[in-house]
Amino acid sequence: MPRRTTPVAALLTAAAVLAATAPAATATGSTATRLVGITAADGTELRAAVCEPTDPGPHPVAVLVAAWGGGSTQNIMPCEELASRGYVTVSYGARGFGESGGEVEVAGPDDISDVSNVIDWTLANTESDPARIGVGGISYGAGISVLASAFDPRIRAVASMSGWADLVESLFSNRTRHAAVAMVLRISGEQNGNLSDESREMLDKYITDADREAVTEWSRQRSPSSYVDLINRNRPAVLMLNTWSETVFPPGQLADFQQRLEVPSKLELVPGEHAAAETSGLLGLPNDAWNDTYRWFDTHLRGAEPDGAPVVLQPRGATDRPRENYPDWRHIATRTDRFFLSGEQELTTDAPTDWTNTLHSGRDTIANGGVPLVTYTLEALTGNPPTAFLPALDTTAAARWTSPPLTETEVLRGSPHLRLTAVPPAPEGMLVAYLYDVDDTGTGRLISYAPYSWEGATPGAPLQVDTPLPPTAYDVPAGHRISLVIDTEDPLFFLDHNTDGAPLELRGQATSPATLELASRDGKELP
């Protein structure tokens, strides 16, 4: 049965359309492209496009692993670009996807050994240099590339675009299942690939919450963060390019991962959504993410001068914001601004007091995290985050705290942090916290948001909520206000529910205050 293409897969495989009518062997200038079959260790055939210079080698090697649902020609444009730059480049579809055989194992052991098998084939069949090997990809291909660098010491450079470091955190952050992500993986994997029995079982268990312990262990084995010691031992240079508003792999885990690396590394974060920043490069269009990947390979495989700092951030809020360079993640913020949540629904710096606020669970409000793969892709194009008219917020289903007008710009850099007490009405439930930049009209621009779930709680007993929100780089203008909104429903997390209408009490005490902490810096200190 032919594999069908879902909208998500179609986005990431659009470049294949441009290459679909190409002959099996072509030459463009000083490069040649051919399609081949590479036999993996277990006999599975992986289909690949080989793009190589026509001049004598040995040449540095770039292996490109296709994203979820992609095949050998998904990365054909970057493949040919790298060949024109002097690289023997092999672009292949991961097992179970595209024209490749086998089953989708979700970055399992066979996927990792496939990378080594492709490298073996490349060294045996092209004029390539075994001492200069790079591996990279988008999304699924990114995660496989980083994992492979832990197990194959020949890999000297890695480029991870919209990849993950901790799959457990991606699937279960704050004990909340990311429903939208799970459904995309399950449906697109079934329709556009050949899921293994284990992959199908684990994704189904995740969706139904049938065996969280088994899914957690399965995810941990597929997390680069589980193999930091091996990566540090092998010493590949690791580039990670992601977006601030990632629905699939939020950027905080990458910052944590980079801080554990003892190898040359670079983290770049820009406005946008999963895979949005690099997709135009698949069509051969000018693209910063792919250009940064080419420079990274040039630096670590060809001896070019290093380009840029270890941490590079492009703030949200406009399409023309200049990038900021930092020596490491710890230096992006220079201070913490703390607000207390008050009983008057204010974010204040005054002394904390005792208060309670009760809202009705299970009712959605105008506060939400947006539409996956759409909302923040539009932000990357327009510079406009999603908005909500906060005066229309249903205060029976949500609580809101607002600061006075800011006397100076609040330069947010890093992760906001929320602490408060909740009194759950049932053993299981969820709240969602949203941080907004609010103008004079009451229109809020979403800065960051995070779910927080509990299970096994004692109804009526206080529960301490202590959680970071995903990091951001966002400037709240002077004269605007900052608002914190808490409700109990969001379409992104529809697998986790509250008891409809049940009262959820939120509390703050003078002795145990509810606080919102903002990682910030003085605008005059910006690099």
Side-chain angles (χ1 to χ4, degrees):
M1 178 181 295
R3 293 172 183 162
R4 292 171 287 178
T5 303
T6 63
V8 173
L11 175 67
L12 291 175
T13 58
V17 175
L18 300 180
T21 58
T26 62
T28 305
S30 61
T31 69
T33 298
R34 54 194 167 111
L35 301 179
V36 302
I38 299 175
T39 303
D42 65 350
T44 297
E45 184 179 70
L46 306 172
R47 296 297 295 176
V50 181
C51 309
E52 53 195 326
T54 57
D55 59 303
H59 302 286
V61 174
V63 174
L64 301 179
V65 188
W68 185 265
S72 61
T73 56
Q74 183 187 71
N75 291 311
I76 193 66
M77 294 301 180
C79 181
E80 294 185 344
E81 175 64 24
L82 280 162
S84 74
R85 293 168 175 260
Y87 291 82
V88 170
T89 310
V90 181
S91 168
Y92 78 95
R95 59 174 55 221
F97 283 128
E99 314 91 334
S100 293
E103 298 178 325
V104 178
E105 298 182 3
V106 193
D110 286 337
D111 292 301
I112 307 313
S113 66
D114 286 346
V115 176
S116 295
N117 296 154
V118 170
I119 292 173
D120 293 341
W121 183 94
T122 304
L123 296 178
N125 293 276
T126 67
E127 295 191 41
S128 47
D129 186 347
R132 296 186 291 165
I133 298 172
V135 181
I138 299 172
S139 187
Y140 190 49
I144 290 174
S145 297
V146 181
L147 285 164
S149 73
F151 297 95
D152 194 327
R154 297 174 298 180
I155 298 173
R156 307 314 314 139
V158 179
S160 168
M161 293 172 274
S162 290
W164 72 90
D166 188 336
L167 194 57
V168 179
E169 175 68 16
S170 299
L171 296 177
F172 292 111
S173 62
N174 282 337
R175 296 181 292 278
T176 306
R177 289 174 295 160
H178 290 217
V181 174
M183 299 304 292
V184 166
L185 290 175
R186 181 65 174 86
I187 295 171
S188 65
E190 193 71 65
Q191 293 187 344
N192 199 45
N194 181 25
L195 287 178
S196 70
D197 289 341
E198 181 188 38
S199 297
R200 186 179 296 106
E201 177 187 6
M202 288 299 167
L203 289 172
D204 287 346
K205 283 184 175 180
Y206 175 76
I207 293 170
T208 60
D209 209 17
D211 191 343
R212 186 168 294 203
E213 184 176 344
V215 177
T216 297
E217 181 57 30
W218 177 80
S219 303
R220 185 174 292 113
Q221 294 172 6
R222 289 157 169 80
S223 299
S225 60
S226 298
Y227 308 105
V228 171
D229 290 346
L230 296 179
I231 295 172
N232 286 335
R233 184 188 67 186
N234 289 340
R235 296 201 60 76
V238 180
L239 170 67
M240 295 174 285
L241 304 104
N242 273 61
T243 56
W244 290 114
S245 304
E246 262 273 355
T247 302
V248 184
F249 307 125
Q253 60 178 275
L254 298 174
D256 294 340
F257 180 66
Q258 188 194 34
Q259 292 178 82
R260 296 175 60 198
L261 289 176
E262 298 172 358
V263 304
S265 66
K266 186 173 185 177
L267 173 63
E268 295 187 12
L269 295 173
V270 301
E273 172 61 284
H274 181 74
E278 53 270 24
T279 298
S280 66
L282 298 181
L283 300 172
L285 301 174
N287 184 273
D288 288 341
W290 279 103
N291 287 338
D292 291 346
T293 293
Y294 304 148
R295 283 193 292 268
W296 189 254
F297 282 172
D298 284 348
T299 295
H300 297 282
L301 302 179
R302 304 186 69 179
E305 288 295 319
D307 180 65
V311 175
V312 179
L313 311 180
Q314 183 178 17
R316 298 171 59 201
T319 58
D320 59 350
R321 293 292 298 273
R323 295 189 175 192
E324 301 169 359
N325 298 295
Y326 298 91
D328 56 53
W329 186 260
R330 292 182 294 273
H331 283 81
I332 70 170
T334 57
R335 69 172 191 258
T336 299
D337 295 337
R338 178 156 49 151
F339 292 93
F340 297 109
L341 282 61
S342 79
E344 288 74 36
Q345 305 300 293
E346 294 178 344
L347 292 176
T348 179
T349 56
D350 294 339
T353 58
D354 294 346
W355 59 266
T356 63
N357 189 311
T358 301
L359 51 92
H360 296 289
S361 302
R363 301 178 186 176
D364 199 8
T365 71
I366 58 173
N368 68 78
V371 179
L373 306 179
V374 175
T375 299
Y376 300 101
T377 299
L378 293 175
E379 179 188 348
L381 296 173
T382 66
N384 297 317
T387 61
F389 184 59
L390 295 184
L393 186 74
D394 180 358
T395 55
T396 67
R400 175 189 173 195
W401 292 265
T402 303
S403 74
L406 300 177
T407 57
E408 60 182 23
T409 299
E410 182 81 20
V411 181
L412 302 178
R413 297 293 184 272
S415 297
H417 201 107
L418 173 66
R419 295 180 179 88
L420 54 74
T421 300
V423 182
E428 297 182 355
M430 176 185 71
L431 59 79
V432 187
Y434 306 88
L435 189 64
Y436 285 99
D437 160 20
V438 186
D439 64 20
D440 289 340
T441 71
T443 300
R445 296 164 58 130
L446 186 61
I447 299 172
S448 187
Y449 67 95
Y452 187 95
S453 295
W454 56 86
E455 54 190 17
T458 301
L463 174 73
Q464 296 304 310
V465 176
D466 188 336
T467 182
L469 277 67
T472 190
Y474 186 98
D475 298 350
V476 184
H480 284 208
R481 302 169 186 261
I482 294 171
S483 271
L484 172 71
V485 174
I486 295 178
D487 68 12
T488 62
E489 292 293 320
D490 191 294
L492 290 172
F493 314 111
F494 63 82
L495 292 176
D496 291 84
H497 299 288
N498 290 286
T499 303
D500 189 30
L504 172 65
E505 184 178 298
L506 305 177
R507 290 180 183 174
Q509 295 91 34
T511 56
S512 179
T515 60
L516 173 67
E517 294 180 344
L518 302 178
S520 305
R521 65 184 299 127
D522 191 318
K524 298 177 182 177
E525 303 170 337
L526 288 175

